[in-house]
Amino acid sequence: MKKWIASTMIAASLLGSTFASAEAATKTYALSVKVSVANVRQTPTMDAKVVTKLKKGTAIKAIAVSTDAKGAKWYKVVLANNKTGWMHETVVKTIASNPKTTVAVKNSQLNSEKSIVTQLSISVSVANVRQSPSTSAKVLTQLKKGTALKAVAVSTDAKGAKWYKVTLSNNQTGWVHETVVTVGNTATTPSKPDTTKQTVITNRAVLYATPSFRATVVERINKNSQVSVLETKKDALFNWIKVTSPSGATGWLPAFELNLVAPKYVYAVTSSVKLRRGASETYVATATLNINDRLLSLYSYNGWLCVETPAGIRGWVQEESVSPIAVNRLTSPTIKNNGDDRYLEWEKTNNFNVSYAVLSDNRLKISGAFSYADIPTFPIDGIQSVEQTDTSVIVTFSPGYTFTIRNYSDRLSIKIIETGLKGKKIIVDAGHGGHDTGAIGPTGLKEKEITLNTALLLKDELEKAGAIVTLTRSTDVFLELSERTAIANSSDYDAFISIHADSYSKTSTGTTTYYNVTTNFNGPKSKSLAQYVQQSLVAQLGTPNRGYKEQEFYVNRKNELPSILVELAFVSNPNEEALLKTKAFLQKAAVGIRQGLEQYFNNF
C-alpha cells in the first residue's frame, strides 16, 4: 500500500508546507475532465473546500501530483484565473505528459504492442480487464464468462505472457491476460450472445408501465430473476429495456437492472461518504458509508453516481468519493512452494481482519474487512474453483484435499494438503516443566512428568503414521507460555496439541479438551480438532467424557494454528492419579490423540 503522504488532520496553517513537501513537481500533465461536473478543491482531500467546478471535457494543466492518506492521486491544476486547486484522479484523465519524463516509457510500451484484429471470448467465470498489460495494473472492469470482445493489439509482459488490448462497450480500451480468454478465428464473426433472456442483477428492480421513472409501477422483480427482452429504447442517461417478467407482466426496466454488461462496482474511499436521496448535496443523507463499502454503480448524472448497497438501498454519491478499486482487497493470487508444501496466497493491501467458515461440499468461505479479491486465472491442483460473491470468497476443494489457513499482516495463505495424517506437521506441547511442576497428586505425582511422558509417546505414535512432529520441550525444562505459542506462530505447521492433567478435588474425574474461537483466527478448525480428539481420547481411556469446550487458555488464545489443550484425567483424584502413573494409560492417551488427529485430517 502506498505510504501516508499527507494527513487530513493537520491544521490549516500547516497545510501549505505539508502538501508542498508531498508534491511531485518533476512532471507537467495535460488533463481533461472526464465526469459531467468535477470539483476543484483547495487542498488534496475530500474534506477540503470546493473552489470551483469544471464541466466534462474541460482541458487543464497539472503542475504537481500528490497522494492522500488512502493512496489516491490528486493533481494540482492551474485554473483560468491563474489560481491553483486540486482534483481527484477519478474525475480527470491524462492527455499527455512532460516528454522529458515519460516519452521513453510510452515509446517502449508502443514498440511492444503489435496491432491485430481478432475476436476473443472470456473463458473464466469472471475476468479482470486492466489499465495496462500487467497483473499489478488497475482493474478497469470485470467481464463474465462468454463475453465477446474485439482485440486491437497484443503485447508480451516480462514473464513472456500475452496480453490482449480490447475495446470495451464504452469505447474505452483495456488489457486482458491470455489465460482468461479464448481466441476466435479472425476470418469469422463470433455469434452474438442470446439477449432474449436476461437476469436481474439488482435488488427488487422496478418494472414501469412506460420507459420513465414517473410512470406507473407494474411490479418489483427480485434479484436473479430471468426476464424476456422484447425491445430496447435509447435514453440520454441509459437504455430502457421492455421485458416480460417471470409473472408474465410486461413493462420497462432501466438497462442497469440487467446483466446486459458486467456489473460495475465502486468502493467508498473515506468513512464519511454520504448516501443521498438525490444527485446534489441539497438532498438529505440517508446513510453514511464506511471506507471500503462496496456499491453497485447504476448510472451517473452531473458528477454523481446512482448506486445500490448490498442490502438493496439506493442513493447517490459524488463520483470523486468512490473508486473502482477497493482500499482493502486481496490481490495478486499466486501459487508458492516450500519443499513439499504448496500454498495459494493473496497479498493484502492493508493489515485488515479476515475470518473464515467451513461449508459443506469441501467449500471454504473467506470473509472479512475487504470488499474485493482478485480471482486466480490459473488451474490449481486440489482446488476446483475460486469465486467472488458479494461479501466473500468461496474456495471449493477437490475430493481428497483439505487445507490449513493462515492470516498474516501482509498476506492470506492457504496450504493445499491431501487428506490423511501422513506428511502433516504437528506441534506437541508438554505442559509445565522445570520449576513449574503443575498440579501434584495425592502421592506426589507431578503434572509436568505426566505431560512430558505422554508427549514423547505421542511423538512416536504420530511419526509411525507419517506425521512430522516438533516438541516444545523434550526434557524437564521451563518454557513461558509466550515461548510455546511463538514456536507455533513462527512455523508453517498444521496443528498444535498442548497436553495437561486436570486438578480440582479428590472426587473430580474425566477427560476434557479445550479450544478457542474468540481470538484464535483458526477457531473453526480448532473446534473441529477438539471434537475429534475428545471423542477418540475418551474411547481409548474409558474415562468420563467431560466434553470439548470453549476456553481462553493462553496457548489456544494466542495461537495462530488450529490448537487444542487436552486435560487427560484428574491427578487430584487418587484413582485417576494411579492410572496416570502407568505407561499403559499414557500410551492409550497417545493412541487416542493420534486417532483424533487422523479423523481431523481425513475430513474437510
Side-chain angles (χ1 to χ4, degrees), residues 70 267-273 289-294 327-328 369 371:
K70 306 305 178 187
Y267 305 87
V269 297
T270 70
S271 291
S272 58
V273 176
L289 303 174
N290 292 317
I291 188 170
N292 215 55
D293 276 358
R294 189 183 194 215
V327 177
N328 290 349
S371 297

Side-chain angles (χ1 to χ4, degrees), residues 108-124:
S108 65
Q109 290 176 346
L110 288 171
N111 289 339
S112 67
E113 288 183 23
K114 178 182 178 182
S115 296
I116 60 169
V117 177
T118 190
Q119 298 295 336
L120 306 176
S121 176
I122 300 298
S123 59
V124 296

Side-chain angles (χ1 to χ4, degrees), residues 558-572:
K558 294 290 188 178
N559 216 311
E560 295 169 13
L561 297 181
S563 59
I564 59 173
L565 184 149
V566 174
E567 298 279 11
L568 300 175
F570 278 85
V571 71
S572 59

